[in-house]
Amino acid sequence: MDRFWGLLTPSEHQVLGETGVERDYPPGSVICQEGEVTRHVLVVRRGLLRVTATTANGSEKVLAVRGAGDIVGERAAIDGRPRSATVRALGAVRALVLSAGSFAALCQRYPRISWSLLIVVIARQRDTDRQRVQISGTATQRVAAVLIDMALQRGIADQGVIAMSQEDLAGIAGTSRESLVRVLRTLREEGIISTGRRKIDIHRVGRLYDFTN
């Protein structure tokens, strides 16, 4: 999935930087809270953000992990409705923060910024649709599909590291921690991945597709 910042030109980077303010967020800090009425937009410059929402039974579900180049909070900025999710910093985060009014003015003045935002929104909707389909699969299929998605988002062709805890991976894949442990063990035994503290090293992305069928 294309990242917002990467779709823009250097001149558009400059105008965004001049309009917004860069802020640093410490590990674990809440960037925005589900249900609150705030409308600022963030473009992640460094670090990772975890996006979660509360389910009907009161538990917390991980919806996504956003990284450098991603835009966050655009929906509330556009429609003015309360935040649909809670966003927390995973580790230290630096982000470019823009008010809703300033961001709207930029979108109206620079059509390419609006078009880039549209590309991101559509890509995320496709990703959501794909996740809905994955819900009906086995734990192995869901975990493999999420790892493939995360690899594609981070530009990993066949080998690379994904910074993500097993708890977050289980949440996104919609599986229990126990089931995830079994799936990861199988993938390790097949030489497809190795795991460490808050990271998964993918050695053979292509082999993950075999587990999604």
Side-chain angles (χ1 to χ4, degrees), residues 170-204:
I172 296 174
T175 189
S176 67
R177 181 68 181 274
E178 292 75 18
S179 294
L180 176 67
V181 169
R182 289 195 294 271
V183 173
L184 294 181
R185 183 187 305 121
T186 298
L187 296 178
R188 284 196 299 267
E189 291 172 351
E190 292 285 335
I192 298 171
I193 67 167
S194 57
T195 56
R197 180 173 174 78
R198 300 189 66 85
K199 70 174 185 177
I200 299 174
D201 195 344
I202 301 178
H203 305 299
R204 302 168 68 189

Side-chain angles (χ1 to χ4, degrees), residues 17-87:
E18 292 173 347
T19 303
V21 176
E22 287 206 351
R23 287 190 56 185
D24 291 315
Y25 296 90
S29 59
V30 177
I31 311 300
C32 58
Q33 186 76 42
E34 181 180 1
E36 73 179 11
V37 182
T38 55
R39 299 182 60 200
H40 55 278
V41 178
L42 294 91
V43 180
V44 183
R45 303 297 292 124
R46 185 175 65 244
L48 294 172
L49 298 175
R50 181 171 62 179
V51 183
T52 63
T54 305
T55 64
N57 63 10
S59 62
E60 186 180 68
K61 177 175 175 55
V62 180
L63 302 179
V65 175
R66 304 298 183 204
D70 281 327
I71 187 169
V72 178
E74 73 285 346
R75 285 191 293 182
I78 293 171
D79 63 20
R81 299 180 63 181
R83 298 288 187 185
S84 59
T86 296
V87 179

Side-chain angles (χ1 to χ4, degrees), residues 117-187:
L117 178 62
L118 181 60
I119 290 174
V120 170
V121 170
I122 291 175
R124 289 180 180 176
Q125 185 59 56
R126 288 185 182 277
D127 188 51
T128 299
D129 293 342
R130 187 165 56 250
Q131 288 183 25
R132 289 196 185 102
V133 173
Q134 292 167 3
I135 290 174
S136 61
T138 66
T140 299
Q141 290 172 325
R142 296 198 301 273
V143 171
V146 170
L147 289 176
I148 291 170
D149 283 345
M150 299 302 289
L152 292 174
Q153 289 179 29
R154 283 155 177 74
I156 297 173
D158 196 47
Q159 298 183 36
V161 177
I162 294 176
M164 176 181 289
S165 70
Q166 293 187 14
E167 177 185 7
D168 289 340
L169 178 56
I172 296 174
T175 189
S176 67
R177 181 68 181 274
E178 292 75 18
S179 294
L180 176 67
V181 169
R182 289 195 294 271
V183 173
L184 294 181
R185 183 187 305 121
T186 298
L187 296 178

